[in-house]
């Protein structure tokens, strides 16, 4: 039926039509929002399933506060290095590694602009349920994050956790810890997010590599593609609360050795306390008597990833 001419409308008919139009517009937007929310939920990674948890879980908690978000973990060099490694600090005992994961491990160079980025990738290059990117410290390259036998086998466990849970792991060679290095990693983050179809990306930075994490925290485009960050034995960022990551409330997990002589734990604990006071999503794991490299060896990847993925 054709609409009646405007001249014949009753005095309140125009208002009724405007109201109906507004209601239909609101309904369409509500449906769109619900569909978007359902897609976001469906894209959210499932909890990471156990993998050799009996060997890698924290042995003993010495202190726990803030509802479990601040923990002090017992660390003993004799037990956690000498009894765990076949050759201390060089080769872990065979029980800690599963080498079948190497069948899905490749070295490749990704082309981002005029610069290529060398990476070791473990897992599929598309459709990952989640992605983990590990940034090494000074003097390292992609081989550090791909080493199966060093650091107590912790990287081998991370590889296996990624693969058995449908995820992907990247260990890039970062050429510098300045703006150029940040740009390279930012491109990798966006690349991984796109290839996964929007799955969460977790950026983990160790030691001096943490400068990359803090640089990424200031880039809104990279932050929007991240699900969380991990800072392992790195420096604190006193200006973090001015960053895009802070505004987005990007979850951050810190792990640190209490006797770190390179980057003192006290500075990182102070940053944690500052963020915690603002109800920011943050967690801290302190390894009592641990040194600078302890977080790389001892951080429980499964627990860390599940905490981030659950935020």
């Amino acid at each position: 039926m054709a609409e009646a001419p405007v001249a014949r409308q009753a005095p309140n008919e125009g208002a009724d039509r405007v109201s109906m139009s507004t209601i239909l517009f609101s309904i369409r937007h509500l449906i769109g929002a619900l569909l978007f929310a359902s897609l976001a939920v469906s894209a959210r990674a499932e909890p990471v399933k156990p993998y050799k948890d009996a060997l890698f879980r924290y042995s003993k908690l010495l202190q726990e506060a803030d509802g479990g978000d601040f923990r002090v973990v017992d660390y003993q060099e004799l037990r956690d290095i000498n009894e765990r490694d076949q050759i201390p600090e060089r080769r872990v005992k065979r029980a800690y590694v599963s080498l079948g994961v190497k069948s899905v491990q490749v070295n490749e160079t990704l082309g981002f602009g005029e610069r290529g980025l060398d990476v070791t990738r473990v897992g599929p290059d598309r459709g990952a349920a989640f992605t983990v990117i590990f940034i090494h410290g000074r003097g390292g390259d992609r081989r550090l994050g791909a080493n199966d036998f060093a650091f107590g086998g912790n990287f081998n466990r991370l590889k296996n956790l990624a693969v058995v849970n449908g995820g992907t792991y990247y260990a890039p060679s970062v050429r510098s810890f300045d703006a150029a290095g940040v740009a390279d990693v930012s491109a990798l983050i966006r690349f991984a997010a796109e290839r996964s179809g929007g799955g969460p990306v977790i950026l983990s930075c160790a030691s001096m590599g943490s400068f990359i994490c803090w640089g990424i925290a200031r880039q809104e485009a990279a932050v929007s593609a991240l699900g969380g960050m991990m800072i392992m034995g790195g420096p604190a960022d006193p200006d973090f609360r001015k960053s895009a990551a802070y505004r987005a409330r990007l979850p951050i997990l810190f792990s640190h050795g209490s006797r770190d002589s390179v980057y003192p734990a006290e500075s990182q604990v102070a940053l944690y306390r500052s963020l915690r006071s603002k109800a920011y999503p943050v967690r801290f794991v302190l390894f009592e008597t641990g040194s600078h490299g302890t977080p790389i060896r001892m951080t429980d990847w499964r627990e860390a990833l599940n905490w981030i993925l659950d935020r």
Side-chain angles (χ1 to χ4, degrees), residues 86-106:
Q86 181 179 336
I87 304 174
E89 298 189 87
R90 295 184 62 185
R91 188 176 185 87
V92 74
K93 292 178 180 177
R94 188 64 178 79
Y96 287 81
V97 299
S98 299
L99 298 179
V101 74
K102 294 185 110 177
S103 66
V104 289
Q105 175 174 313
V106 297

Side-chain angles (χ1 to χ4, degrees), residues 64-264:
E64 190 170 17
D66 299 338
D69 283 335
F70 184 86
R71 288 171 297 166
V72 179
V73 176
D74 180 46
Y75 170 77
Q76 298 177 26
E77 184 174 323
L78 178 62
R79 178 193 64 210
D80 297 315
I81 295 181
N82 292 8
E83 293 181 7
R84 183 167 170 174
D85 290 358
Q86 181 179 336
I87 304 174
E89 298 189 87
R90 295 184 62 185
R91 188 176 185 87
V92 74
K93 292 178 180 177
R94 188 64 178 79
Y96 287 81
V97 299
S98 299
L99 298 179
V101 74
K102 294 185 110 177
S103 66
V104 289
Q105 175 174 313
V106 297
N107 289 333
E108 57 189 352
T109 300
L110 303 177
F112 300 135
E114 298 179 357
R115 288 160 57 100
L117 183 64
D118 294 334
V119 304
T120 295
R121 171 175 53 82
V122 183
D125 68 343
R126 286 177 172 80
F130 62 89
T131 302
V132 181
I133 300 172
F134 173 79
I135 306 301
H136 58 78
R138 182 174 60 183
D141 58 28
R142 63 184 176 183
R143 291 173 295 180
L144 188 148
N147 194 313
D148 292 290
F149 289 95
F151 298 102
N154 216 10
F155 285 119
N156 181 264
R157 186 192 186 213
L158 173 57
K159 293 179 189 181
N160 279 283
L161 282 170
V163 171
V164 301
N165 287 280
T168 297
Y169 169 57
Y170 285 98
S173 289
V174 178
R175 287 170 292 205
S176 60
F177 300 98
D178 55 9
V182 170
D184 287 341
V185 175
S186 177
L188 176 58
I189 290 168
R190 288 180 278 115
F191 171 84
E194 180 182 348
R195 287 295 183 95
S196 72
V201 179
I202 294 94
L203 178 65
S204 176
C205 302
S207 186
M208 192 174 184
S210 298
F211 287 111
I212 297 293
C213 268
W214 297 134
I216 292 293
R218 283 155 173 75
Q219 298 196 346
E220 290 191 11
V223 168
S224 67
L226 284 177
M229 290 199 313
M230 296 170 61
I231 306 293
M232 307 169 74
D237 179 3
D239 293 323
F240 175 70
R241 286 170 63 176
K242 300 176 183 178
S243 70
Y246 179 81
R247 293 191 296 273
R249 296 181 61 80
L250 184 72
I252 298 182
L253 186 144
F254 298 98
S255 57
H256 218 100
S258 68
R259 295 183 183 176
D260 189 329
S261 60
V262 180
Y263 299 114

